[in-house]
Amino acid sequence: MAASPLPTELFGYEYYQNPYPAFAWLRDNSPVHEFRFPVGDVRTWIATRFEDVHALLGDPRFSNDATAYASREFLDSGMVLGADTPVARILTVLDPPDHTRVRKLAMGAFTPRRVAQWREPTERIVAASLDKLAVSESPDVVDYASAIPAAVIGEILGIPMTRYNDMLHAIDRAFRPDDDKDRIQRAFEDIAEYGRELIAEKRKMLGDDLMTVFIQARDGDDRLTGDELVSMLALMIMAGLDTTRNLIGSAVLALLDHPEQRRLLMSDPGLVPGAVEEFLRYDGALTVGLFRFAKEDMEFAGTRLPAGAPVVAALQGANRDPRRFTDPDRLDITRDGPRHVGFGHGLHNCLGAALARVEAAVAIPAIFERFPRLELAVPRSEVTYSENWLLRGLASLPVHLHGTGADGGKGGAR
């Protein structure tokens, strides 16, 4: 394949720091683009225009289930991890009818009444996280953004924090870049084992929490199996931590980069819900979606795809598409227009999106209310993003707090 004229190599270091120039070039020149995915060196396609991404995520000719439909090259690359454990069959890789059944049972945990109940523990946890940030010797917004979803998801799931931390550490080992496939497989097995133990403990002490809802979920004679409960628990922890952490971190940075938007947000609390949607569109928690696989030879958006072809939906490429959004590279928390795909679309839109929105709506304005003179503690050029092909997350965001707001409490100013 000839050398690519792309401004940055896909899924290379410069791309991870700023994927938007590459997405802009692809939208104009190769909207469904063939390349070699660097992990496993697999022949892959990436879609970047909003119209194509939206279609791809809802097209029944594609599957998320690699074991059933992926190309032999993809399967042989070792990219299907966690085989023979419940984690390999999480909701995000299921197709109908299994996906329809499991998601319907799980959605009982996300009623409007229950979502409204999450605000109080979120506010309490945010306040405690701000207290901890205030006395930190090295304040870092990513630490703040990580602590909130970890505590919130543990509390609303009803999981003892010690066991929850065990699960988090196993998940971290499972998804850390590593050539040792046996070590990764053991991490997945640990996730499954922790999950089974947590569920067994919860069955003895049911309460008003999400794990109890999942355990009791029933539709007629149908209910979640033991393995499905383990995979649902793992999914809630994985998605509940990463998406919210990344959203809070990137949103705080965006407001530091755009002081006029920061002032506008702090002057009008009514703008917060729309601002959260704009943060998701502007620099969301997920750069791309999970692989989708062509079930058959087909033509998609003018491109011929062989059966088994892995295709990646560039969510943030779609969210910056000028064909869909006016002046898309500008942050505008008053933006009122087309819907973004920051949480996906179709069958596999993010199950925990409602929780992420609640946490972000509390945590983002709260840090600026507590520390109104918050500023970067390093040059802007030194702020970097993690090298993660799926997630868009800051590696760190060191800040100067410069004391607190009108409450006059102790600050961590430096």
Side-chain angles (χ1 to χ4, degrees):
M1 192 177 295
S4 171
L6 276 162
T8 55
E9 176 190 0
L10 289 177
F11 302 98
Y13 178 78
E14 293 300 328
Y15 163 90
Y16 288 126
Q17 302 316 307
N18 183 9
Y20 298 107
F23 290 156
W25 188 93
L26 288 170
R27 285 193 304 263
D28 290 341
N29 297 281
S30 185
V32 181
H33 181 74
E34 181 182 346
F35 70 108
R36 304 295 298 187
F37 196 82
V39 182
D41 190 32
V42 176
R43 186 187 185 198
T44 305
W45 287 258
I46 184 169
T48 49
R49 289 181 179 175
F50 186 95
E51 182 180 7
D52 297 337
V53 166
H54 195 267
L56 173 65
L57 295 175
D59 192 329
R61 297 178 301 165
F62 292 90
S63 168
N64 279 33
D65 188 348
T67 58
Y69 290 103
S71 65
R72 175 48 53 188
E73 180 187 32
F74 187 95
L75 295 173
D76 291 345
S77 72
M79 291 187 66
V80 182
L81 301 175
D84 302 319
T85 74
V87 186
R89 301 299 297 164
I90 61 175
L91 183 63
T92 51
V93 303
L94 297 180
D95 287 338
D98 287 341
H99 178 275
T100 306
R101 181 183 65 82
V102 172
R103 187 169 179 115
K104 182 178 180 181
L105 287 166
M107 283 305 294
F110 297 92
T111 63
R113 181 188 67 83
R114 189 169 292 277
V115 171
Q117 291 175 341
W118 295 338
R119 189 169 184 95
E120 186 279 326
T122 299
E123 290 174 343
R124 174 167 31 85
I125 288 165
V126 165
S129 300
L130 287 169
D131 290 342
K132 186 176 296 185
L133 186 67
V135 297
S136 172
E137 294 183 1
S138 303
D140 191 317
V141 171
V142 172
D143 292 339
Y144 168 73
S146 300
I148 293 164
V152 170
I153 196 71
E155 180 164 328
I156 68 173
L157 280 169
I159 296 173
M161 188 54 70
T162 53
R163 305 315 309 276
Y164 177 61
N165 286 336
D166 289 338
M167 191 87 159
L168 278 181
H169 293 151
I171 289 168
D172 183 61
R173 296 198 315 274
F175 288 92
R176 187 181 297 276
D178 194 333
D179 291 332
D180 189 337
K181 296 296 189 292
D182 289 338
R183 186 183 305 165
I184 294 174
Q185 181 66 22
R186 284 196 300 273
F188 276 103
E189 291 168 357
D190 286 345
I191 293 170
E193 185 59 30
Y194 287 135
R196 292 189 187 98
E197 292 174 4
L198 285 166
I199 291 164
E201 292 174 11
K202 175 55 64 176
R203 286 187 187 278
K204 299 174 185 175
M205 191 171 56
L206 299 177
D208 185 21
D209 52 60
L210 284 194
M211 276 313 303
T212 298
V213 173
F214 292 144
I215 289 169
Q216 296 178 331
R218 180 183 290 275
D219 182 21
D221 293 330
D222 193 16
R223 63 190 313 156
L224 294 172
T225 67
D227 280 355
E228 287 167 349
L229 281 169
V230 172
S231 69
M232 186 61 63
L233 174 59
L235 176 62
M236 287 300 299
I237 292 174
M238 287 186 286
L241 177 65
D242 287 329
T243 55
T244 308
R245 172 178 58 198
N246 296 344
L247 174 57
I248 294 170
S250 292
V252 170
L253 178 60
L255 291 174
L256 291 174
D257 284 342
H258 298 83
E260 78 290 347
Q261 295 291 299
R262 170 179 168 178
R263 287 191 294 270
L264 184 60
L265 181 65
M266 301 316 295
S267 69
D268 185 357
L271 293 174
V272 170
V276 170
E277 301 308 313
E278 176 66 351
F279 297 138
L280 284 162
R281 185 205 66 81
Y282 179 75
D283 201 17
L286 297 162
T287 309
V288 300
L290 294 172
F291 289 99
R292 303 215 73 202
F293 304 95
K295 293 181 179 179
E296 59 195 39
D297 293 341
M298 69 170 76
E299 180 174 305
F300 174 76
T303 301
R304 294 298 304 174
L305 298 175
V311 186
V312 176
L315 303 178
Q316 287 308 115
N319 285 338
R320 294 281 191 104
D321 189 345
R323 299 162 187 79
R324 177 74 172 179
F325 302 98
T326 302
D327 199 5
D329 294 325
R330 179 172 61 89
L331 179 71
D332 179 5
I333 64 169
T334 66
R335 189 182 295 271
D336 182 18
R339 193 74 166 168
H340 60 76
V341 287
F343 279 135
H345 166 69
L347 291 177
H348 293 283
N349 66 303
C350 180
L351 184 67
L355 176 58
R357 286 183 168 104
V358 169
E359 293 173 276
V362 175
I364 295 165
I367 191 172
F368 290 107
E369 290 169 359
R370 180 72 174 271
F371 307 110
R373 293 186 293 152
L374 187 78
E375 65 178 4
L376 287 177
V378 297
R380 180 62 175 81
S381 60
E382 294 182 12
V383 176
T384 61
Y385 283 80
S386 299
E387 297 182 55
N388 185 304
W389 69 263
L390 180 67
L391 302 166
R392 176 83 174 144
L394 290 162
S396 66
L397 191 62
V399 290
H400 291 310
L401 304 178
H402 296 304
T404 62
D407 62 3
K410 293 180 180 180
R414 305 186 311 177

